[in-house]
Amino acid sequence: MNMTLIIFVAVYLLGTLALGVWAGTRVKNSTDFAVAGRSLPLVMVIATTFATWFGAETVMGIPAKFVQGGLQAIVEDPFGAGTCLVLVGLFFAKKLYGLNLLTIGDYYRHRYGKGIEVFCSVAIILSYLGWVAAQITALGLVFSVLTGGAIEPGTGMVLGTAIVLTYVVIGGFMAVAWTDTIQMGVLVVGLSAIAWYSAGLAGGAPVVLDSVASQGLLEFLPQPDFTEVAMFIGAAITMMLGSIPQQDVYQRVMSAQDANTARKGAVIGGLGYIAFAFVPMFIVASAVVVMGEQAMEIARDDYQRLLPTYVLTQMPLFMQIIFFGALLSAIQSTSSATLLAPATSFVENILKNLRPHMGDRQQLKAMRLSIVAFAGLVLAYAMAMKGTSIYELVSSAYQVTLVGAFVPLVFGLYWSRATTQGAIFSVAAGIAVWIFFFEGVSGLGAVFPPQLAGLLAAVSGMVAGSLLPQWLKNRHERDHRVKGMNA
């Protein structure tokens, strides 16, 4: 256990906490708390959008998956996740910003009514369980590794949750935006320094890249086989499309000072995420060159420990301090945003339907209490799912929003003939087919991805549900006219 390293990490965590508490003094109402008063400049929108995805799985999950399976194994994240933000900027930001709504659930009520609002909001809230649990799991792992096992992962989860929870409850999205901006600066500088030092340990960047290429890890496209292509597409669209109807993404769009800033921030943040996700991949590839078979054994047994172990065993104290500062920045930035988002959706789109006469002060208090409750729920879920990989926790989180919430959002914005009945058909068909395709239900999930099947069913349901009533009405009128002529 290196006490100097632990002291530096503790000071950094306390500094982040203080910044979040300071930001909380600027919160005056629920709009400040939920979307930072729609006042953020471009640089902060980029930082907080980038921080949406750059979490535990980007630093510890994606790199180890890459050295095991190559680019093809990580099509879902970072490629799908980063493309999601680009799509949001190009096709959704301006339209949604102009509606001036507090949550993504508000859009479903605005377009389809309260029923779809509540159902889609529930689906969105539930999808955050795995996403936030992955960050909590990573915090527990980091504290355990830092202390040489003196702090158990479970205890580390509780400690990490308490730190993040404190400044999110006090400062809301205002605190998230400020801490994200600082944390992303630390992350970019820190991981860049680690990558530079790693290249030196491995004998130079060309040595690392040659090693990666020689193992076939740069192959991206699947074999020309129906099932393999379908699985590849299913993995790609899970976060690419399933993350679009998410409250944390929506909050970043709405927090911008104007629609143009929202659009640019999402596109730049998404492209930046895809590009910078290669930095931790390069670091882990360097670890494989430096540590040899030992690195691959760690990757096989518990790949989430590979990068922290490499830094602790192969790098000097200064680099260790930089690394853990960057790692904690990544985890905290994502966990803070994803704790706030579901609590905001719950209050705005579920609780307010039960208590429609809530004042702004009551709503703000309810948001804070909901964050605490959701944090407790996520902590329990993370404990129950202990042993599940960070990457799997994240990748499983977005299938329900892909099959249940994505199609009503897209068709509502871009197809004027979309109706409430179409949205109901879409949600029902998407969820039903998705569940049916699971291997434990029908076994079809082994040959065709359940999320892709559910998405196709959701599109069919939307089109059929929206057009069928009009078709039946037209047919009835035509039959009535024919009978009148025959008479």
Side-chain angles (χ1 to χ4, degrees), residues 143-165:
F143 285 125
S144 178
V145 171
L146 267 175
T147 60
I151 295 179
E152 293 291 326
T155 306
M157 289 183 194
V158 175
L159 178 61
T161 302
I163 293 170
V164 176
L165 184 62

Side-chain angles (χ1 to χ4, degrees), residues 258-312:
D258 54 55
N260 194 43
T261 300
R263 180 179 58 82
K264 288 181 178 178
V267 172
I268 297 172
L271 293 175
Y273 173 72
I274 294 174
F276 203 76
F278 281 91
V279 174
M281 282 190 259
F282 176 84
I283 297 172
V284 169
S286 301
V288 173
V289 174
V290 174
M291 299 172 67
E293 185 57 32
Q294 181 188 358
M296 296 310 296
E297 286 179 10
I298 297 173
R300 283 191 293 268
D301 296 338
D302 186 1
Y303 69 70
Q304 296 158 164
R305 290 181 177 269
L306 176 55
L307 189 49
T309 302
Y310 168 59
V311 172
L312 286 173

Side-chain angles (χ1 to χ4, degrees), residues 164-224:
V164 176
L165 184 62
T166 300
Y167 72 76
V168 175
V169 167
I170 293 173
F173 195 74
M174 193 74 78
V176 171
W178 277 98
T179 53
D180 277 358
T181 302
I182 300 299
Q183 287 164 347
M184 288 307 97
V186 172
L187 186 149
V188 169
V189 173
L191 287 184
S192 297
I194 296 294
W196 173 81
Y197 193 86
S198 292
L201 288 178
V207 174
V208 178
L209 297 176
D210 287 345
S211 173
V212 167
S214 66
Q215 298 174 61
L217 298 181
L218 299 181
E219 295 180 8
F220 182 68
L221 296 176
Q223 296 297 316

Side-chain angles (χ1 to χ4, degrees), residues 38-85:
R38 291 165 63 96
S39 62
L40 299 186
L42 180 61
V43 65
M44 292 186 75
V45 175
I46 292 172
T48 195
T49 304
F50 180 88
T52 305
W53 298 139
F54 214 104
E57 75 294 340
T58 316
V59 180
M60 296 191 291
I62 291 173
K65 291 280 284 185
F66 168 68
V67 298
Q68 289 177 306
L71 292 178
Q72 194 177 123
I74 56 171
V75 60
E76 185 170 342
D77 191 9
F79 296 106
T83 303
C84 162
L85 296 177

Side-chain angles (χ1 to χ4, degrees), residues 230-241:
M231 293 297 180
F232 181 83
I233 295 173
I237 65 171
T238 298
M239 290 187 74
M240 184 189 300
L241 305 183

